Amino acid sequence: MITLKYNMKKVLLFFACALILIPVIWCVISEITSHTAYAETDTIASYESGRRIYDEAGLLTEAETKELESLSEEYGKKAGIEIFVLTHNDKNSTYPEKYIEDFEDRLPVADRVYFLYDVYRGEIFMEGYGLAETYINSKRIDEIFDLVEDDLRNDSYFDAFKLYILQSAAYMEDDSVLNSDHDYVYDNTPEGFDSGNEYSYDDYDYERYYRAERLKDNILLNVWFQLIISLIIGATAVAVMAYNSGGKMTVGANDYLDRSRPGLIGKRDHYIRSTITKTRRPSSDSGSGGVRKSGGFNSSGFRGGVSSGGRSHSSGGRKL
Amino acid sequence: MVTHYKCPNCGADMEYDAESGKLKCGSCRHEESIENMAGLGNIPADAQVSYNMDDDDKKAEQYSFEKDYMDRSYEDEPSHHHTFSEHEITEYHCQNCGAVLITEPQTTATKCSFCGAAIVISDRLTGTYQPDYVIPFSITRKQAEEAFKKWCKKGLLTPGDFKVADRIKDITGLYVPFWLYDLNGKGEAVATCTKVRTYTRGDWIYTETRYYHVYRKVDLDYLKVPCDASKKMDDTMMDKLEPYPYGSLKDFKMPYLAGFVAEKYDYDGDELLPRVKNRVQSYVESYIRSTINGYSTVHFNSLDIHIRKKQARYALFPIWMVCYDYNKAEHTFAMNGQTGKIVGKPPISKGKVAAWFFGISGGCFILLRLLTFLLGGGLL
């Protein structure tokens, strides 16, 4: 009597798993190492020394930067918030809303307003945190954009940023239009909300970035993963071709079997027991693939979002 | 003892003709049936070498019910063939020209290397060496050559100049000795199987796993499983040449061999038994697996398989051996002389391997990128 062993299958399975796991690990590592848009320690150190203007795209002269720094300090102190200007021209950086959120998550909690000019994408984005979230809400962000848009288009960066600093400080002392609901739960403007209402004005294409982010997170769409899969398919196909070039076995278990009498002479299927496990159904509003939803509207139609670090903010963006 | 088959019309040597299935005279084109010519050989008519099942087995067959094995025995039936070590005459003379026939000890049919006459060495085809069956050639030498050329052109990885197939060095019709085994496979399996069902009630997803105790008992007969008994022939190559449709399996008669090269077996029926048992073992296992259906998972607690030899018959199968010169090396191919199936290792062109590899990989990659692009991702 011989009892068969299945070691061979296990070995093959192991290799198959390894073939699939290696590219996955590779992708994870490359994902981690590639995330160096700005050096963390530098940011914190320079923040503590009072730096507010981070002109990585090099749009401003040294003198202009200095002047903006002093303006930011002066008006920020007056308004009780920190006023930031960020620029960059980095095609590998994340999309504007997240770029500011990630920047904010590195700093200690405070009341801040950001203006980002993403030169590579040609987009501007603003976010307000803490008190600035209430005062510099999405409606006011849009108004600031209306003010500075033309200057930015005409390359008058200094004038644009100066206007932004002054206007932000001014809004902090203006109680006329405030947003105190920081719960941005609606994907689109809430039901029953007047579509002609100016607060809901929003032509910025958030959905495109969320989609791109979701796709980037999907391993199946990763370039390296697909390349490796393709190479494996190619190698397998050629190996099969080479293996079969000398003719292949075409007879199988059934070719010599005597079918004149039944082969199965004993058969029993007894139910023994059953086990039941239960898991909570994932709630339907968590989105597909568990991707974090970073933005939306509150009940009054103001736009905002939450950073990875859990900081809620007002937000607004525009394509130049 | 050497046998020539002479044409009753003109006295020239006759050879087996695959097209007509008769002996054909090369000179006067006269054809004569195998039955008529077989009488000229010296085989006693009552030379029976194979036996049926034991009486006990027959009785068991009568009394058994479907709940038990038809064939209760667990022991292999004894072989009735024995290798022989008696002194063999190693020198034979052509009866046409008197030249010494150059033969190997296994050769049972050949052609005289001087006058080309078809010769059957009947001494080596009697007693324990008398085959039970033969499958005659149904593909002629010319058809074999053409089929081979056609096959060469089909190769996806073979070099271009190999495909021309203009260097066939030698093509030989060969009767290769095979053992045909009738085997009984008994199998008993105990397995734990599960059926998994999921359903949703309110906020919870329930996964119900039902466990089953599954028992299977099989009693399978495999008939005429072939196994090549020649030392010279590569086993895997011979296995790949199957199947040989048994419709044209004939009782052995010597004239079938006229004009071809034939050999007697190097290994007797018992020596090859482990190899064929191994093969049938996997057949029984896959049969048992195929009887367990409808479960999500199957885990075998025990799987016992026992293979028993019931009978082994000696047969000669037709094979065309093609020797082909390529790149200073000789490549050997074998063709099933009944069906025309070809096996053998053709040379493999590195360039073509690379081309296919990069072609297929590149194609897949581009396709995947296009899909990604359609889903809204970047091209690179």
Side-chain angles (χ1 to χ4, degrees), chain A residues 102-278:
Chain A
D102 290 349
F103 195 98
E104 165 71 15
D105 283 342
R106 274 155 227 260
L107 305 181
V109 173
D111 303 319
R112 291 194 189 94
V113 63
Y114 289 93
F115 187 104
L116 165 69
Y117 183 18
D118 182 333
V119 179
Y120 179 76
R121 291 189 174 84
E123 286 174 13
I124 47 178
F125 208 95
M126 277 185 67
E127 285 174 25
Y129 288 86
L131 271 181
E133 184 179 5
T134 308
Y135 282 85
I136 306 174
N137 50 52
S138 63
K139 197 221 162 191
R140 286 177 165 177
I141 287 172
D142 282 337
E143 283 169 0
I144 292 175
F145 286 159
D146 288 340
L147 280 176
V148 304
E149 207 173 22
D150 287 335
D151 281 337
L152 286 175
R153 285 213 183 92
N154 298 329
D155 297 348
S156 312
Y157 306 114
F158 176 78
D159 294 342
F161 295 144
K162 186 178 170 185
L163 258 176
Y164 145 75
I165 292 170
L166 298 182
Q167 192 58 45
S168 297
Y171 277 140
M172 291 306 289
E173 282 152 29
D174 177 359
D175 289 346
S176 60
V177 181
L178 297 186
N179 168 38
S180 41
D181 175 8
H182 298 166
D183 210 2
Y184 308 100
V185 291
Y186 300 97
D187 277 346
N188 298 302
T189 43
E191 229 174 297
F193 191 80
D194 175 15
S195 61
N197 190 305
E198 52 189 328
Y199 298 161
S200 70
Y201 168 71
D202 203 345
D203 67 347
Y204 189 73
D205 193 2
Y206 294 97
E207 184 49 35
R208 187 163 64 92
Y209 288 119
Y210 298 148
R211 211 176 137 76
E213 191 77 349
R214 261 201 303 276
L215 290 176
K216 208 179 79 191
D217 288 348
N218 192 337
I219 182 75
L220 291 175
L221 300 177
N222 182 287
V223 173
W224 294 110
F225 181 73
Q226 290 181 341
L227 185 66
I228 285 163
I229 290 295
S230 305
L231 291 177
I232 291 171
I233 292 173
T236 315
V238 172
V240 168
M241 278 158 76
Y243 183 77
N244 285 338
S245 67
K248 56 182 172 228
M249 196 82 184
T250 48
V251 295
N254 292 328
D255 289 277
Y256 299 106
L257 182 64
D258 178 10
R259 299 196 167 278
S260 62
R261 61 188 186 82
L264 186 64
I265 55 171
K267 178 181 176 171
R268 277 198 306 274
D269 293 70
H270 285 313
Y271 166 73
I272 320 170
R273 67 196 158 91
S274 39
T275 58
I276 296 178
T277 57
K278 62 176 187 175

Side-chain angles (χ1 to χ4, degrees), chain B residues 7-257:
Chain B
C7 176
N9 260 10
C10 64
D13 286 294
M14 299 182 92
E15 290 185 5
Y16 180 78
D17 179 42
E19 251 168 323
S20 59
K22 292 176 176 175
L23 283 185
K24 194 171 184 179
C25 170
S27 307
C28 68
R29 306 259 144 222
H30 176 75
E31 290 184 358
E32 195 70 46
S33 75
I34 301 292
E35 284 70 29
N36 286 349
M37 298 304 279
L40 299 171
N42 289 11
I43 310 158
D46 56 351
Q48 260 294 355
V49 267
S50 51
Y51 290 76
N52 288 326
M53 286 183 296
D54 291 340
D55 290 343
D56 273 358
D57 282 354
K58 279 189 182 153
K59 248 184 244 167
E61 220 173 275
Q62 281 164 8
Y63 292 123
S64 64
F65 297 100
E66 58 169 30
K67 281 291 165 199
D68 209 345
Y69 293 127
M70 287 208 175
D71 173 2
R72 290 209 187 130
S73 174
Y74 271 86
E75 298 306 312
D76 288 326
E77 294 298 325
S79 269
H80 305 291
H81 289 270
H82 301 281
T83 357
F84 81 88
S85 47
E86 294 141 47
H87 355 269
E88 284 185 68
I89 313 162
T90 45
E91 200 176 87
Y92 292 95
H93 292 271
C94 173
Q95 291 179 350
N96 273 10
C97 64
V100 173
L101 291 176
I102 298 155
T103 68
E104 290 177 52
Q106 298 93 351
T107 311
T108 56
T110 186
K111 282 186 174 184
C112 171
S113 40
F114 289 90
C115 64
I119 285 156
V120 177
I121 303 169
S122 38
D123 279 1
R124 293 175 178 177
L125 288 164
T126 52
T128 55
Y129 282 109
Q130 192 201 352
D132 299 303
Y133 301 115
V134 63
I135 294 179
F137 276 91
S138 46
I139 286 175
T140 62
R141 175 182 299 268
K142 217 173 160 192
Q143 287 170 335
E145 207 164 304
E146 262 154 35
F148 178 73
K149 281 183 183 169
K150 218 169 160 187
W151 180 75
C152 285
K153 287 194 184 101
K154 270 198 320 196
L156 293 171
L157 296 178
T158 42
D161 47 348
F162 178 83
K163 287 188 174 183
V164 186
D166 55 355
R167 269 170 295 195
I168 297 178
K169 202 173 141 201
D170 188 26
I171 179 160
T172 315
L174 192 65
Y175 277 106
V176 176
F178 275 79
W179 288 103
L180 303 184
Y181 292 94
D182 288 355
L183 299 158
N184 174 260
K186 299 179 178 69
E188 230 175 335
V190 178
T192 306
C193 304
T194 64
K195 284 182 185 172
V196 180
R197 187 170 78 98
T198 57
Y199 53 92
T200 317
R201 292 270 183 288
D203 269 354
W204 296 90
I205 296 172
Y206 291 87
T207 308
E208 185 188 3
T209 310
R210 293 168 70 86
Y211 289 83
Y212 290 85
H213 179 269
V214 171
Y215 171 80
R216 293 286 184 274
K217 189 174 189 181
V218 296
D219 183 12
L220 303 164
D221 276 340
Y222 290 90
L223 304 179
K224 296 199 176 76
V225 184
C227 192
D228 88 280
S230 165
K231 211 179 275 184
K232 267 190 241 168
M233 294 297 165
D234 182 57
D235 288 347
T236 49
M237 198 155 147
M238 289 298 118
D239 285 350
K240 282 181 184 171
L241 277 179
E242 292 171 35
Y244 298 89
Y246 287 142
S248 44
L249 194 68
K250 302 261 196 307
D251 286 334
F252 177 74
K253 294 203 173 57
M254 276 206 282
Y256 284 117
L257 307 188

Side-chain angles (χ1 to χ4, degrees), chain A residues 58-123:
Chain A
L59 303 176
L60 304 166
T61 63
E62 218 167 289
E64 286 172 339
T65 309
K66 219 171 232 172
E67 200 176 338
L68 284 177
E69 287 280 12
S70 62
L71 277 172
S72 163
E73 197 190 340
E74 183 193 337
Y75 282 89
K77 212 166 261 171
K78 215 187 273 176
I81 56 168
E82 293 169 3
I83 304 173
F84 279 76
V85 174
L86 314 176
T87 74
H88 75 79
N89 193 6
D90 179 6
K91 72 171 176 180
N92 291 323
S93 74
T94 181
Y95 60 96
E97 181 169 14
K98 188 151 196 315
Y99 186 91
I100 302 178
E101 285 175 359
D102 290 349
F103 195 98
E104 165 71 15
D105 283 342
R106 274 155 227 260
L107 305 181
V109 173
D111 303 319
R112 291 194 189 94
V113 63
Y114 289 93
F115 187 104
L116 165 69
Y117 183 18
D118 182 333
V119 179
Y120 179 76
R121 291 189 174 84
E123 286 174 13

